[in-house]
Amino acid sequence: MSTERVTLADVAADAGVHAATVSRALSRPDLVGDDTLERVNAAVARLGYVPNRAARQLAGGPTSMIAVLVPDLTNPFFASYVQAAQRRAGDEGLLTVLGETGLDPRRELEIVRSLASNVDGLLLAAPVTEGVALEAACGTTPRVLVNRRDAGRRWAVVDQRQIVSLAVDHLRSLGHTRIGVVGGPQGYWSSAERLAATDDDSSLVTVDAVDPTFAGGRAAWDGVQTHELGAVVCFNDMIALGLIAAATADGVDVPAQLSVVGSDDIPLATMVEPALTTVGAPIDELADASVALLVSLVDGTTSSDVVLEPYLVERGTTAPPPETSR
């Protein structure tokens, strides 16, 4: 066979493995089993294959690249996820291309369409596009949804209803009865799950959804005052920090007069005074699980969807309500 016509697919067929396995064997042989590596190397030598990333990409073959799409890189949760996903992808011998969608379905589709045919797989973190349109944009490129669960698609998520349960149970254990939940963006699957958890408990008060930012938290303060709440569970830590800032500016003491719980356990949660009580998300585990799931799809193997459990981190922004304080 002429070396000019030998493709990575030819090597894969000769070695009896998937093309993505050949790509990984050539880029990161330490990640491939000895028997597989021996078969791939023998096929490469036998066929005279010469790796050429550009040629493989033009031919539609494996690129050893994946794309990670997030709605907002300034959000510490997504920034941490991207960092962890890049690290895990690097361990798999994969390069990472990054896209920011700005919570805009139209932009999200544009980015997905532009990247789908140029990478081996897609990690779609908290996508907001309707499912059928998103699937059409992805085409045949393997993809994994991160913190969104859709029937018939592959996903890795943190249990969102459990986030609410952990926070509410903690506040009730302190004696709180007037508890509110501040929601996040309507396009997020996680927001819908949190709202459903609130609907399941009629004693909880729903505060209007806000942007998942510090400014959004300040905006939520009016609703907290209107409902005369003694404790609040926020969609994320940034909202919680903004809410605390607004309450403090109005002379309300946190936690003596108002208890606040965030979500995500971002580094900033420990850099404020008092430090933020929050429900943590295992971001590194989420990144590891989603990358591993995507790699299994690219390799054509079977892997299960993933649900990860959150955890409560009790710090200084929660305390018993004034009437039960000692």
Side-chain angles (χ1 to χ4, degrees):
M1 183 179 292
S2 169
T3 59
E4 291 183 358
R5 299 180 58 189
V6 175
T7 68
L8 187 140
D10 294 329
V11 176
D14 189 84
V17 299
H18 193 276
T21 302
V22 176
S23 178
R24 194 169 301 113
L26 296 175
S27 62
R28 287 294 303 274
D30 56 305
L31 300 177
V32 179
D34 291 341
D35 291 344
T36 300
L37 183 60
E38 184 176 345
R39 295 208 313 273
V40 170
N41 285 336
V44 168
R46 185 162 47 249
L47 300 177
Y49 174 70
V50 178
N52 184 311
R53 181 182 298 276
R56 291 203 307 272
Q57 187 169 353
L58 287 171
T63 64
S64 294
M65 292 191 296
I66 62 171
V68 180
L69 272 64
V70 298
D72 181 9
L73 269 176
T74 66
N75 184 317
F77 175 88
F78 293 115
S80 295
Y81 172 78
V82 168
Q83 185 179 48
Q86 285 182 315
R87 182 170 57 248
R88 175 56 191 267
D91 291 342
E92 295 285 349
L94 299 169
L95 298 175
T96 303
V97 179
L98 179 62
E100 183 181 37
T101 65
L103 268 175
D104 181 345
R106 181 178 299 180
R107 176 168 172 76
E108 186 171 76
L109 285 177
E110 290 175 351
I111 295 175
V112 170
R113 290 191 192 102
S114 67
L115 290 176
S117 61
N118 297 305
V119 295
D120 295 338
L122 297 158
L123 289 175
L124 307 175
V128 296
T129 305
E130 183 271 330
V132 173
L134 187 61
E135 287 292 293
C138 292
T140 60
T141 303
R143 60 278 203 180
V144 170
L145 305 181
V146 180
N147 264 0
R148 173 168 151 181
R149 185 164 54 192
D150 283 352
R153 298 168 180 88
R154 310 311 300 271
W155 38 262
V157 303
V158 177
D159 189 331
Q160 300 297 309
R161 299 192 187 200
Q162 183 66 10
I163 290 174
V164 176
S165 295
L166 287 172
V168 170
D169 288 348
H170 167 62
L171 291 170
R172 284 180 175 153
S173 74
L174 294 173
H176 287 282
T177 56
R178 290 291 296 170
I179 303 172
V181 177
V182 179
Q186 294 183 356
Y188 283 168
W189 168 84
S190 53
S191 295
E193 286 290 291
R194 306 278 186 96
L195 183 60
T198 305
D199 291 341
D200 289 342
D201 188 335
S202 59
S203 68
L204 297 177
V205 176
T206 301
V207 181
D208 288 343
V210 296
D211 290 337
T213 62
F214 186 87
R218 295 186 70 95
W221 173 232
D222 286 343
V224 172
Q225 290 178 293
T226 298
H227 292 290
E228 299 180 342
L229 300 174
V232 184
V233 179
C234 296
F235 178 76
N236 68 8
D237 289 341
M238 294 306 296
I239 291 175
L241 294 174
L243 177 64
I244 291 170
T248 302
D250 271 357
V252 175
D253 185 277
V254 175
Q257 296 171 282
L258 177 71
S259 286
V260 179
V261 181
S263 174
D264 291 342
D265 195 22
I266 62 176
L268 189 57
T270 62
M271 301 177 191
V272 294
E273 181 59 39
L276 181 65
T277 296
T278 185
V279 180
I283 298 177
D284 286 351
E285 291 180 44
L286 182 64
D288 286 350
S290 54
V291 172
L293 179 54
L294 183 61
V295 169
S296 74
L297 295 178
V298 171
D299 284 347
T301 58
T302 302
S303 186
S304 300
D305 298 320
V306 178
V307 180
L308 297 173
E309 295 299 316
Y311 53 90
L312 178 72
V313 184
E314 185 176 356
R315 297 192 180 106
T317 58
T318 51
E323 62 271 19
T324 60
S325 298
R326 293 180 175 85

